[in-house]
Amino acid sequence: MSDLKTFYDVIIVGAGVGGGALANRLAETGRNILMIERGPRLPREDDNWNVDAVFHKKKYATKEEWRDKDGELFNPSTYYYVGGNSKFFGAATLRFRREDFEDLQHEDGVAPAWPVSYDEFEPYYAVAERLMGTHGTAGMDPTEPPRSGPMPYPAIGHEPEIAFFEKKLKEKGLHPFPLPIAIDYHQGGSCIRCRTCDGFACKLGAKGDAEVRLVNPALAKSMGKIELITETFVHRLLTDSTGKRVTGVELTHKGQKQVIEADLFVSSAGAINSAALLLRSANDAHKRGLGNNMSDQLGRNYMAHNNTAMMAISPFKKNRVVFQKSMAINDFYLANNEKPYPLGNVQGLGKLQGGMLTASATWAPEWLMSTFADRSVDWWLMSEDLPDPNNRVTVDPDGRIRLSYTANNLKSHNELVKVWSRIMRSLGYPLIITNKMDIKVSMHQCGTARFGTAPESSVLDPHCKVWDVDNLYVVDASFLPSSTAVNPSLTIVAQAQRTAEHILARWGEPVNALPLATPQTSPTAA
Ligand SMILES: Cc1cc2nc3c(=O)[nH]c(=O)nc-3n(C[C@H](O)[C@H](O)[C@H](O)COP(=O)(O)OP(=O)(O)OC[C@H]3O[C@@H](n4cnc5c(N)ncnc54)[C@H](O)[C@@H]3O)c2cc1C
């Protein structure tokens, strides 16, 4: 006998960043909301911070295998838990730049304009920063778009090793700035500023992931009106015979396949899994997949950034930094002194450790990798990849996800790597090791159900409602029409707030502004 009701007002598929942010805004409406999450709650345990468990044994990553465009199987670095991929994220919570919302000329093509302007989006960014608990300092990054108020919390501060780079980069005329970051690091906060944050789950719950900042508060605020069920997989969305309304979800809960009905549906299963879910939901009225009749764009335009991890090594200088992810540089984000086109963003990477390196360089002895890691300063270099309809998610006849992707805009990315290597060498770090992320690293997945102003070229309208279905929304990273060159989470949260307001207005409910001001407290000393 199932413990679920047979009907809810709203069903949300996926308890990650997008789903959590939407639930959080709808929590006080008194509506009956069911959140369905395929994964469990991630246990807080010592292994959360254990390099061997996380990187060698891959204890927490999915064991699922997908196919690439040639049919080769690979195991993606994706996480299925309450909180989604953000359980393992680096908590960098930057706004996209104003130029990202407009047509942006790249070396390899144009990143398309969004259906909303930055100015329309700005108030939602302010809410998103507050929800996530972003720490930072406004006004230091020359590419930073205008903002209506300060960051919710002051910047976390640099340790001496990073302060050295801040000084030296400024001497070179660059503009390093504190990386906006969602960790609970301020007076009275629970963060202990450890080495196991970016790429690890937080044993203390001190990272602003979606479980901690969005889902749990939503459950608490809803006073029992939101039910979260875990380890429950949604197979398909079912529609009425016209195809205009979704009527139910087909899911497996506690080993039992069943259908649960609702008035309104939200897919927030992540850009790859939302596309797969809508494609699996093809029926007589939607032969190419749900919501794909007019545009044939569902699953297409998959993007994930061109990402490179860089180690800049000085053989004679140990890097004793603990929390390295405190600084970013956007001097090459737009057309710049080096090139007349955008190259991307540079940000500190969580401090690499020998054991993390041997997980991918399996041939290397750990002592050697530890020698490198002890002396390296580590950076994450991120450039925009452009939407290409041939880069796409499909579902093979056996039900397996196929991710067909060929990286583009690579010249800019290679330039970014070259420029940053040159700068590192000039600062006394002669040895540079780089690792370009491949298809397995789908951490910044987006674009597979882009929003737009025309149903012929987009899957979602500007409020993230599926154009040709009246009661279905998609609020994860699928909606992004361009990947930009900064981390996506904050923008996913902001857009989910816009969508939630649209839903509230649709219900005729007041759209109460969320309080924006979070009192500034002094930073804990670094
Ligand atoms: C190691 C790592 C570091 C990162 N660092 C950063 C960073 O510093 N800053 C940043 O902004 N971003 C970062 N990201 C990316 C960020 O985590 C994602 O952009 C974000 O989590 C995406 O949110 P989403 O709502 O689109 O999907 P997710 O948060 O992935 O949520 C999707 C949810 O749906 C569930 N689900 C999927 N399919 C189904 C189904 N069929 N039925 C039921 N449930 C389902 C999943 O289990 C998951 O919980 C990082 C990611 C990783 C992995």
Side-chain angles (χ1 to χ4, degrees), residues 14 16-18 36-38 80-81 84-86 88-92 232-234 268-270 273 443-444 476-477 487-489 492:
V17 173
I36 308 170
E37 170 53 48
R38 70 187 285 173
Y80 296 138
Y81 294 97
N85 278 297
S86 73
F88 289 82
F89 83 159
T232 301
F233 185 80
V234 175
S268 48
N273 275 294
M443 55 169 66
H444 291 171
D476 50 38
N487 325 56
S489 293
I492 301 170

PDB file of all heavy atoms in Angstrom, residues 14 16-18 36-38 80-81 84-86 88-92 232-234 268-270 273 443-444 476-477 487-489 492, ligand 1:
ATOM      1  N   GLY A  14      12.730  16.246  -8.870  1.00  0.00           N
ATOM      2  CA  GLY A  14      14.130  16.605  -8.637  1.00  0.00           C
ATOM      3  C   GLY A  14      14.268  17.625  -7.528  1.00  0.00           C
ATOM      4  O   GLY A  14      13.716  18.720  -7.606  1.00  0.00           O
ATOM      5  N   GLY A  16      16.967  19.328  -6.459  1.00  0.00           N
ATOM      6  CA  GLY A  16      18.273  19.969  -6.564  1.00  0.00           C
ATOM      7  C   GLY A  16      18.133  21.474  -6.442  1.00  0.00           C
ATOM      8  O   GLY A  16      17.220  21.989  -5.768  1.00  0.00           O
ATOM      9  N   VAL A  17      19.020  22.187  -7.132  1.00  0.00           N
ATOM     10  CA  VAL A  17      19.059  23.640  -7.019  1.00  0.00           C
ATOM     11  C   VAL A  17      17.768  24.271  -7.550  1.00  0.00           C
ATOM     12  O   VAL A  17      17.110  25.055  -6.857  1.00  0.00           O
ATOM     13  CB  VAL A  17      20.294  24.191  -7.781  1.00  0.00           C
ATOM     14  CG1 VAL A  17      20.269  25.702  -7.841  1.00  0.00           C
ATOM     15  CG2 VAL A  17      21.575  23.715  -7.105  1.00  0.00           C
ATOM     16  N   GLY A  18      17.394  23.944  -8.783  1.00  0.00           N
ATOM     17  CA  GLY A  18      16.205  24.563  -9.374  1.00  0.00           C
ATOM     18  C   GLY A  18      14.929  24.169  -8.635  1.00  0.00           C
ATOM     19  O   GLY A  18      14.116  25.025  -8.248  1.00  0.00           O
ATOM     20  N   ILE A  36       9.796  14.950  -5.689  1.00  0.00           N
ATOM     21  CA  ILE A  36      10.223  13.564  -5.918  1.00  0.00           C
ATOM     22  C   ILE A  36      11.701  13.556  -6.278  1.00  0.00           C
ATOM     23  O   ILE A  36      12.121  14.187  -7.253  1.00  0.00           O
ATOM     24  CB  ILE A  36       9.416  12.935  -7.074  1.00  0.00           C
ATOM     25  CG1 ILE A  36       7.914  13.109  -6.835  1.00  0.00           C
ATOM     26  CG2 ILE A  36       9.776  11.473  -7.227  1.00  0.00           C
ATOM     27  CD1 ILE A  36       7.051  12.728  -8.035  1.00  0.00           C
ATOM     28  N   GLU A  37      12.472  12.851  -5.504  1.00  0.00           N
ATOM     29  CA  GLU A  37      13.932  12.823  -5.710  1.00  0.00           C
ATOM     30  C   GLU A  37      14.387  11.370  -5.889  1.00  0.00           C
ATOM     31  O   GLU A  37      14.060  10.511  -5.080  1.00  0.00           O
ATOM     32  CB  GLU A  37      14.629  13.466  -4.497  1.00  0.00           C
ATOM     33  CG  GLU A  37      16.129  13.296  -4.438  1.00  0.00           C
ATOM     34  CD  GLU A  37      16.864  13.725  -5.695  1.00  0.00           C
ATOM     35  OE1 GLU A  37      16.616  14.819  -6.216  1.00  0.00           O
ATOM     36  OE2 GLU A  37      17.693  12.917  -6.184  1.00  0.00           O
ATOM     37  N   ARG A  38      15.153  11.142  -6.951  1.00  0.00           N
ATOM     38  CA  ARG A  38      15.590   9.756  -7.227  1.00  0.00           C
ATOM     39  C   ARG A  38      16.634   9.273  -6.223  1.00  0.00           C
ATOM     40  O   ARG A  38      16.769   8.066  -5.980  1.00  0.00           O
ATOM     41  CB  ARG A  38      16.131   9.635  -8.649  1.00  0.00           C
ATOM     42  CG  ARG A  38      17.443  10.330  -8.874  1.00  0.00           C
ATOM     43  CD  ARG A  38      17.865  10.335 -10.348  1.00  0.00           C
ATOM     44  NE  ARG A  38      18.355   9.042 -10.780  1.00  0.00           N
ATOM     45  CZ  ARG A  38      18.661   8.742 -12.044  1.00  0.00           C
ATOM     46  NH1 ARG A  38      18.518   9.644 -12.987  1.00  0.00           N
ATOM     47  NH2 ARG A  38      19.117   7.565 -12.364  1.00  0.00           N
ATOM     48  N   TYR A  80      23.311  12.030  -7.498  1.00  0.00           N
ATOM     49  CA  TYR A  80      21.859  11.948  -7.291  1.00  0.00           C
ATOM     50  C   TYR A  80      21.556  11.892  -5.786  1.00  0.00           C
ATOM     51  O   TYR A  80      21.637  10.827  -5.157  1.00  0.00           O
ATOM     52  CB  TYR A  80      21.293  10.703  -7.978  1.00  0.00           C
ATOM     53  CG  TYR A  80      21.442  10.705  -9.491  1.00  0.00           C
ATOM     54  CD1 TYR A  80      21.818   9.551 -10.179  1.00  0.00           C
ATOM     55  CD2 TYR A  80      21.176  11.850 -10.242  1.00  0.00           C
ATOM     56  CE1 TYR A  80      21.933   9.545 -11.562  1.00  0.00           C
ATOM     57  CE2 TYR A  80      21.292  11.848 -11.628  1.00  0.00           C
ATOM     58  CZ  TYR A  80      21.680  10.697 -12.278  1.00  0.00           C
ATOM     59  OH  TYR A  80      21.799  10.695 -13.644  1.00  0.00           O
ATOM     60  N   TYR A  81      21.230  13.038  -5.243  1.00  0.00           N
ATOM     61  CA  TYR A  81      20.909  13.153  -3.801  1.00  0.00           C
ATOM     62  C   TYR A  81      19.919  14.288  -3.621  1.00  0.00           C
ATOM     63  O   TYR A  81      19.767  15.137  -4.518  1.00  0.00           O
ATOM     64  CB  TYR A  81      22.168  13.491  -2.977  1.00  0.00           C
ATOM     65  CG  TYR A  81      23.181  12.377  -2.983  1.00  0.00           C
ATOM     66  CD1 TYR A  81      24.242  12.392  -3.865  1.00  0.00           C
ATOM     67  CD2 TYR A  81      23.033  11.292  -2.121  1.00  0.00           C
ATOM     68  CE1 TYR A  81      25.150  11.348  -3.898  1.00  0.00           C
ATOM     69  CE2 TYR A  81      23.943  10.242  -2.151  1.00  0.00           C
ATOM     70  CZ  TYR A  81      24.992  10.266  -3.041  1.00  0.00           C
ATOM     71  OH  TYR A  81      25.888   9.232  -3.073  1.00  0.00           O
ATOM     72  N   GLY A  84      20.948  17.518  -5.093  1.00  0.00           N
ATOM     73  CA  GLY A  84      21.494  17.325  -6.447  1.00  0.00           C
ATOM     74  C   GLY A  84      23.001  17.495  -6.490  1.00  0.00           C
ATOM     75  O   GLY A  84      23.725  17.196  -5.533  1.00  0.00           O
ATOM     76  N   ASN A  85      23.466  17.988  -7.620  1.00  0.00           N
ATOM     77  CA  ASN A  85      24.914  18.146  -7.821  1.00  0.00           C
ATOM     78  C   ASN A  85      25.528  19.159  -6.873  1.00  0.00           C
ATOM     79  O   ASN A  85      26.736  19.140  -6.628  1.00  0.00           O
ATOM     80  CB  ASN A  85      25.196  18.542  -9.273  1.00  0.00           C
ATOM     81  CG  ASN A  85      25.211  17.328 -10.170  1.00  0.00           C
ATOM     82  OD1 ASN A  85      26.045  16.440 -10.009  1.00  0.00           O
ATOM     83  ND2 ASN A  85      24.278  17.249 -11.096  1.00  0.00           N
ATOM     84  N   SER A  86      24.690  20.038  -6.326  1.00  0.00           N
ATOM     85  CA  SER A  86      25.259  21.065  -5.446  1.00  0.00           C
ATOM     86  C   SER A  86      25.811  20.468  -4.152  1.00  0.00           C
ATOM     87  O   SER A  86      26.569  21.127  -3.444  1.00  0.00           O
ATOM     88  CB  SER A  86      24.222  22.146  -5.136  1.00  0.00           C
ATOM     89  OG  SER A  86      23.242  21.662  -4.245  1.00  0.00           O
ATOM     90  N   PHE A  88      28.065  18.570  -4.004  1.00  0.00           N
ATOM     91  CA  PHE A  88      29.517  18.472  -4.220  1.00  0.00           C
ATOM     92  C   PHE A  88      30.086  19.735  -4.850  1.00  0.00           C
ATOM     93  O   PHE A  88      31.237  19.759  -5.252  1.00  0.00           O
ATOM     94  CB  PHE A  88      29.827  17.231  -5.087  1.00  0.00           C
ATOM     95  CG  PHE A  88      29.599  15.975  -4.307  1.00  0.00           C
ATOM     96  CD1 PHE A  88      28.317  15.443  -4.167  1.00  0.00           C
ATOM     97  CD2 PHE A  88      30.640  15.353  -3.642  1.00  0.00           C
ATOM     98  CE1 PHE A  88      28.090  14.319  -3.396  1.00  0.00           C
ATOM     99  CE2 PHE A  88      30.422  14.227  -2.866  1.00  0.00           C
ATOM    100  CZ  PHE A  88      29.142  13.705  -2.739  1.00  0.00           C
ATOM    101  N   PHE A  89      29.272  20.796  -4.943  1.00  0.00           N
ATOM    102  CA  PHE A  89      29.747  21.961  -5.696  1.00  0.00           C
ATOM    103  C   PHE A  89      30.760  22.790  -4.913  1.00  0.00           C
ATOM    104  O   PHE A  89      30.981  22.564  -3.727  1.00  0.00           O
ATOM    105  CB  PHE A  89      28.582  22.779  -6.269  1.00  0.00           C
ATOM    106  CG  PHE A  89      27.888  23.780  -5.378  1.00  0.00           C
ATOM    107  CD1 PHE A  89      27.160  24.828  -5.966  1.00  0.00           C
ATOM    108  CD2 PHE A  89      27.925  23.698  -3.993  1.00  0.00           C
ATOM    109  CE1 PHE A  89      26.505  25.772  -5.198  1.00  0.00           C
ATOM    110  CE2 PHE A  89      27.258  24.645  -3.215  1.00  0.00           C
ATOM    111  CZ  PHE A  89      26.563  25.678  -3.824  1.00  0.00           C
ATOM    112  N   GLY A  90      31.375  23.724  -5.663  1.00  0.00           N
ATOM    113  CA  GLY A  90      32.394  24.575  -5.040  1.00  0.00           C
ATOM    114  C   GLY A  90      31.805  25.825  -4.430  1.00  0.00           C
ATOM    115  O   GLY A  90      32.533  26.667  -3.907  1.00  0.00           O
ATOM    116  N   ALA A  91      30.471  25.986  -4.543  1.00  0.00           N
ATOM    117  CA  ALA A  91      29.738  27.082  -3.897  1.00  0.00           C
ATOM    118  C   ALA A  91      30.045  28.469  -4.467  1.00  0.00           C
ATOM    119  O   ALA A  91      29.696  29.474  -3.854  1.00  0.00           O
ATOM    120  CB  ALA A  91      29.942  27.059  -2.374  1.00  0.00           C
ATOM    121  N   ALA A  92      30.731  28.513  -5.628  1.00  0.00           N
ATOM    122  CA  ALA A  92      30.942  29.815  -6.282  1.00  0.00           C
ATOM    123  C   ALA A  92      29.578  30.288  -6.786  1.00  0.00           C
ATOM    124  O   ALA A  92      28.925  29.585  -7.555  1.00  0.00           O
ATOM    125  CB  ALA A  92      31.923  29.680  -7.441  1.00  0.00           C
ATOM    126  N   THR A 232      13.075   7.674  -5.365  1.00  0.00           N
ATOM    127  CA  THR A 232      11.874   7.474  -6.174  1.00  0.00           C
ATOM    128  C   THR A 232      12.144   8.032  -7.559  1.00  0.00           C
ATOM    129  O   THR A 232      12.410   9.229  -7.705  1.00  0.00           O
ATOM    130  CB  THR A 232      10.676   8.212  -5.526  1.00  0.00           C
ATOM    131  OG1 THR A 232      10.498   7.691  -4.209  1.00  0.00           O
ATOM    132  CG2 THR A 232       9.409   8.016  -6.339  1.00  0.00           C
ATOM    133  N   PHE A 233      12.110   7.184  -8.552  1.00  0.00           N
ATOM    134  CA  PHE A 233      12.488   7.578  -9.915  1.00  0.00           C
ATOM    135  C   PHE A 233      11.248   7.889 -10.744  1.00  0.00           C
ATOM    136  O   PHE A 233      10.295   7.109 -10.772  1.00  0.00           O
ATOM    137  CB  PHE A 233      13.283   6.440 -10.569  1.00  0.00           C
ATOM    138  CG  PHE A 233      13.813   6.790 -11.928  1.00  0.00           C
ATOM    139  CD1 PHE A 233      14.969   7.547 -12.052  1.00  0.00           C
ATOM    140  CD2 PHE A 233      13.161   6.371 -13.079  1.00  0.00           C
ATOM    141  CE1 PHE A 233      15.463   7.883 -13.308  1.00  0.00           C
ATOM    142  CE2 PHE A 233      13.651   6.703 -14.340  1.00  0.00           C
ATOM    143  CZ  PHE A 233      14.803   7.460 -14.449  1.00  0.00           C
ATOM    144  N   VAL A 234      11.251   9.038 -11.399  1.00  0.00           N
ATOM    145  CA  VAL A 234      10.144   9.381 -12.294  1.00  0.00           C
ATOM    146  C   VAL A 234      10.502   8.924 -13.712  1.00  0.00           C
ATOM    147  O   VAL A 234      11.516   9.354 -14.269  1.00  0.00           O
ATOM    148  CB  VAL A 234       9.850  10.897 -12.267  1.00  0.00           C
ATOM    149  CG1 VAL A 234       8.779  11.255 -13.281  1.00  0.00           C
ATOM    150  CG2 VAL A 234       9.422  11.317 -10.869  1.00  0.00           C
ATOM    151  N   SER A 268      12.650  19.424 -12.668  1.00  0.00           N
ATOM    152  CA  SER A 268      13.904  20.044 -12.220  1.00  0.00           C
ATOM    153  C   SER A 268      14.890  18.922 -11.924  1.00  0.00           C
ATOM    154  O   SER A 268      15.502  18.864 -10.874  1.00  0.00           O
ATOM    155  CB  SER A 268      13.664  20.919 -10.984  1.00  0.00           C
ATOM    156  OG  SER A 268      12.894  20.227 -10.020  1.00  0.00           O
ATOM    157  N   ALA A 269      15.022  18.053 -12.919  1.00  0.00           N
ATOM    158  CA  ALA A 269      15.843  16.847 -12.764  1.00  0.00           C
ATOM    159  C   ALA A 269      17.276  17.068 -13.233  1.00  0.00           C
ATOM    160  O   ALA A 269      18.059  16.135 -13.303  1.00  0.00           O
ATOM    161  CB  ALA A 269      15.199  15.697 -13.529  1.00  0.00           C
ATOM    162  N   GLY A 270      17.631  18.326 -13.548  1.00  0.00           N
ATOM    163  CA  GLY A 270      18.956  18.619 -14.107  1.00  0.00           C
ATOM    164  C   GLY A 270      18.851  18.638 -15.625  1.00  0.00           C
ATOM    165  O   GLY A 270      17.949  18.027 -16.206  1.00  0.00           O
ATOM    166  N   ASN A 273      18.920  15.097 -17.284  1.00  0.00           N
ATOM    167  CA  ASN A 273      17.798  14.224 -16.906  1.00  0.00           C
ATOM    168  C   ASN A 273      16.431  14.841 -17.190  1.00  0.00           C
ATOM    169  O   ASN A 273      15.475  14.102 -17.438  1.00  0.00           O
ATOM    170  CB  ASN A 273      17.918  13.818 -15.444  1.00  0.00           C
ATOM    171  CG  ASN A 273      18.817  12.607 -15.292  1.00  0.00           C
ATOM    172  OD1 ASN A 273      18.479  11.517 -15.747  1.00  0.00           O
ATOM    173  ND2 ASN A 273      19.981  12.796 -14.705  1.00  0.00           N
ATOM    174  N   MET A 443      29.370  18.733 -14.940  1.00  0.00           N
ATOM    175  CA  MET A 443      28.947  19.491 -13.756  1.00  0.00           C
ATOM    176  C   MET A 443      28.209  20.783 -14.107  1.00  0.00           C
ATOM    177  O   MET A 443      27.317  21.188 -13.390  1.00  0.00           O
ATOM    178  CB  MET A 443      30.142  19.798 -12.854  1.00  0.00           C
ATOM    179  CG  MET A 443      31.255  20.522 -13.576  1.00  0.00           C
ATOM    180  SD  MET A 443      32.507  21.171 -12.459  1.00  0.00           S
ATOM    181  CE  MET A 443      33.226  19.716 -11.767  1.00  0.00           C
ATOM    182  N   HIS A 444      28.562  21.426 -15.224  1.00  0.00           N
ATOM    183  CA  HIS A 444      27.900  22.681 -15.596  1.00  0.00           C
ATOM    184  C   HIS A 444      26.921  22.469 -16.748  1.00  0.00           C
ATOM    185  O   HIS A 444      26.711  23.354 -17.577  1.00  0.00           O
ATOM    186  CB  HIS A 444      28.937  23.751 -15.934  1.00  0.00           C
ATOM    187  CG  HIS A 444      29.722  24.214 -14.740  1.00  0.00           C
ATOM    188  ND1 HIS A 444      30.817  25.037 -14.820  1.00  0.00           N
ATOM    189  CD2 HIS A 444      29.561  23.974 -13.405  1.00  0.00           C
ATOM    190  CE1 HIS A 444      31.303  25.284 -13.607  1.00  0.00           C
ATOM    191  NE2 HIS A 444      30.555  24.632 -12.732  1.00  0.00           N
ATOM    192  N   ASP A 476      15.414  23.784 -13.973  1.00  0.00           N
ATOM    193  CA  ASP A 476      16.826  23.511 -13.688  1.00  0.00           C
ATOM    194  C   ASP A 476      17.673  24.209 -14.746  1.00  0.00           C
ATOM    195  O   ASP A 476      17.193  25.096 -15.462  1.00  0.00           O
ATOM    196  CB  ASP A 476      17.070  22.000 -13.657  1.00  0.00           C
ATOM    197  CG  ASP A 476      16.485  21.334 -14.895  1.00  0.00           C
ATOM    198  OD1 ASP A 476      16.568  21.945 -15.988  1.00  0.00           O
ATOM    199  OD2 ASP A 476      15.916  20.240 -14.785  1.00  0.00           O
ATOM    200  N   ALA A 477      18.935  23.777 -14.899  1.00  0.00           N
ATOM    201  CA  ALA A 477      19.843  24.461 -15.821  1.00  0.00           C
ATOM    202  C   ALA A 477      19.473  24.261 -17.292  1.00  0.00           C
ATOM    203  O   ALA A 477      20.118  24.844 -18.175  1.00  0.00           O
ATOM    204  CB  ALA A 477      21.272  23.979 -15.573  1.00  0.00           C
ATOM    205  N   ASN A 487      29.941  30.108 -13.152  1.00  0.00           N
ATOM    206  CA  ASN A 487      29.219  28.961 -12.598  1.00  0.00           C
ATOM    207  C   ASN A 487      27.709  29.226 -12.581  1.00  0.00           C
ATOM    208  O   ASN A 487      27.273  30.344 -12.301  1.00  0.00           O
ATOM    209  CB  ASN A 487      29.708  28.694 -11.175  1.00  0.00           C
ATOM    210  CG  ASN A 487      31.197  28.975 -11.016  1.00  0.00           C
ATOM    211  OD1 ASN A 487      31.662  30.062 -11.304  1.00  0.00           O
ATOM    212  ND2 ASN A 487      31.936  28.005 -10.574  1.00  0.00           N
ATOM    213  N   PRO A 488      26.901  28.198 -12.832  1.00  0.00           N
ATOM    214  CA  PRO A 488      25.476  28.442 -13.114  1.00  0.00           C
ATOM    215  C   PRO A 488      24.513  28.509 -11.938  1.00  0.00           C
ATOM    216  O   PRO A 488      23.386  29.009 -12.092  1.00  0.00           O
ATOM    217  CB  PRO A 488      25.103  27.228 -13.986  1.00  0.00           C
ATOM    218  CG  PRO A 488      26.073  26.155 -13.613  1.00  0.00           C
ATOM    219  CD  PRO A 488      27.330  26.835 -13.168  1.00  0.00           C
ATOM    220  N   SER A 489      24.873  28.030 -10.748  1.00  0.00           N
ATOM    221  CA  SER A 489      23.850  27.790  -9.710  1.00  0.00           C
ATOM    222  C   SER A 489      23.032  29.030  -9.337  1.00  0.00           C
ATOM    223  O   SER A 489      21.818  28.974  -9.223  1.00  0.00           O
ATOM    224  CB  SER A 489      24.491  27.263  -8.430  1.00  0.00           C
ATOM    225  OG  SER A 489      25.010  26.009  -8.671  1.00  0.00           O
ATOM    226  N   ILE A 492      20.384  29.747 -11.768  1.00  0.00           N
ATOM    227  CA  ILE A 492      19.285  28.766 -11.721  1.00  0.00           C
ATOM    228  C   ILE A 492      18.327  29.137 -10.582  1.00  0.00           C
ATOM    229  O   ILE A 492      17.100  29.124 -10.743  1.00  0.00           O
ATOM    230  CB  ILE A 492      19.838  27.328 -11.519  1.00  0.00           C
ATOM    231  CG1 ILE A 492      20.794  26.953 -12.651  1.00  0.00           C
ATOM    232  CG2 ILE A 492      18.696  26.322 -11.439  1.00  0.00           C
ATOM    233  CD1 ILE A 492      21.577  25.665 -12.408  1.00  0.00           C
TER     234      ILE A 492
HETATM  235  C1  LIG B   1      32.059  18.962  -8.315  1.00  0.00           C
HETATM  236  C2  LIG B   1      31.115  20.060  -8.719  1.00  0.00           C
HETATM  237  C3  LIG B   1      31.464  21.391  -8.482  1.00  0.00           C
HETATM  238  C4  LIG B   1      30.585  22.418  -8.855  1.00  0.00           C
HETATM  239  N1  LIG B   1      30.896  23.706  -8.503  1.00  0.00           N
HETATM  240  C5  LIG B   1      30.002  24.685  -8.743  1.00  0.00           C
HETATM  241  C6  LIG B   1      30.217  25.998  -8.247  1.00  0.00           C
HETATM  242  O1  LIG B   1      31.212  26.290  -7.576  1.00  0.00           O
HETATM  243  N2  LIG B   1      29.274  26.933  -8.514  1.00  0.00           N
HETATM  244  C7  LIG B   1      28.151  26.650  -9.249  1.00  0.00           C
HETATM  245  O2  LIG B   1      27.336  27.552  -9.485  1.00  0.00           O
HETATM  246  N3  LIG B   1      27.931  25.424  -9.716  1.00  0.00           N
HETATM  247  C8  LIG B   1      28.807  24.433  -9.470  1.00  0.00           C
HETATM  248  N4  LIG B   1      28.536  23.160  -9.889  1.00  0.00           N
HETATM  249  C9  LIG B   1      27.349  22.936 -10.713  1.00  0.00           C
HETATM  250  C10 LIG B   1      26.065  22.943  -9.897  1.00  0.00           C
HETATM  251  O3  LIG B   1      26.139  21.987  -8.868  1.00  0.00           O
HETATM  252  C11 LIG B   1      24.909  22.669 -10.855  1.00  0.00           C
HETATM  253  O4  LIG B   1      24.904  23.689 -11.834  1.00  0.00           O
HETATM  254  C12 LIG B   1      23.566  22.654 -10.161  1.00  0.00           C
HETATM  255  O5  LIG B   1      23.544  21.725  -9.104  1.00  0.00           O
HETATM  256  C13 LIG B   1      22.498  22.286 -11.188  1.00  0.00           C
HETATM  257  O6  LIG B   1      21.234  22.417 -10.599  1.00  0.00           O
HETATM  258  P1  LIG B   1      19.947  21.756 -11.287  1.00  0.00           P
HETATM  259  O7  LIG B   1      18.779  22.146 -10.490  1.00  0.00           O
HETATM  260  O8  LIG B   1      19.992  22.084 -12.738  1.00  0.00           O
HETATM  261  O9  LIG B   1      20.214  20.198 -11.202  1.00  0.00           O
HETATM  262  P2  LIG B   1      20.621  19.314  -9.899  1.00  0.00           P
HETATM  263  O10 LIG B   1      20.992  20.202  -8.775  1.00  0.00           O
HETATM  264  O11 LIG B   1      21.578  18.308 -10.367  1.00  0.00           O
HETATM  265  O12 LIG B   1      19.250  18.627  -9.509  1.00  0.00           O
HETATM  266  C14 LIG B   1      18.596  17.647 -10.225  1.00  0.00           C
HETATM  267  C15 LIG B   1      17.952  16.686  -9.231  1.00  0.00           C
HETATM  268  O13 LIG B   1      17.006  15.840  -9.901  1.00  0.00           O
HETATM  269  C16 LIG B   1      17.168  14.485  -9.480  1.00  0.00           C
HETATM  270  N5  LIG B   1      16.665  13.640 -10.570  1.00  0.00           N
HETATM  271  C17 LIG B   1      17.218  13.461 -11.795  1.00  0.00           C
HETATM  272  N6  LIG B   1      16.446  12.650 -12.537  1.00  0.00           N
HETATM  273  C18 LIG B   1      15.365  12.313 -11.792  1.00  0.00           C
HETATM  274  C19 LIG B   1      14.222  11.483 -12.021  1.00  0.00           C
HETATM  275  N7  LIG B   1      14.015  10.889 -13.205  1.00  0.00           N
HETATM  276  N8  LIG B   1      13.329  11.308 -11.002  1.00  0.00           N
HETATM  277  C20 LIG B   1      13.514  11.941  -9.800  1.00  0.00           C
HETATM  278  N9  LIG B   1      14.585  12.732  -9.548  1.00  0.00           N
HETATM  279  C21 LIG B   1      15.504  12.926 -10.527  1.00  0.00           C
HETATM  280  C22 LIG B   1      18.663  14.388  -9.221  1.00  0.00           C
HETATM  281  O14 LIG B   1      18.983  13.329  -8.359  1.00  0.00           O
HETATM  282  C23 LIG B   1      18.982  15.761  -8.605  1.00  0.00           C
HETATM  283  O15 LIG B   1      18.814  15.773  -7.205  1.00  0.00           O
HETATM  284  C24 LIG B   1      29.372  22.109  -9.517  1.00  0.00           C
HETATM  285  C25 LIG B   1      29.021  20.783  -9.744  1.00  0.00           C
HETATM  286  C26 LIG B   1      29.867  19.765  -9.345  1.00  0.00           C
HETATM  287  C27 LIG B   1      29.450  18.334  -9.595  1.00  0.00           C
END
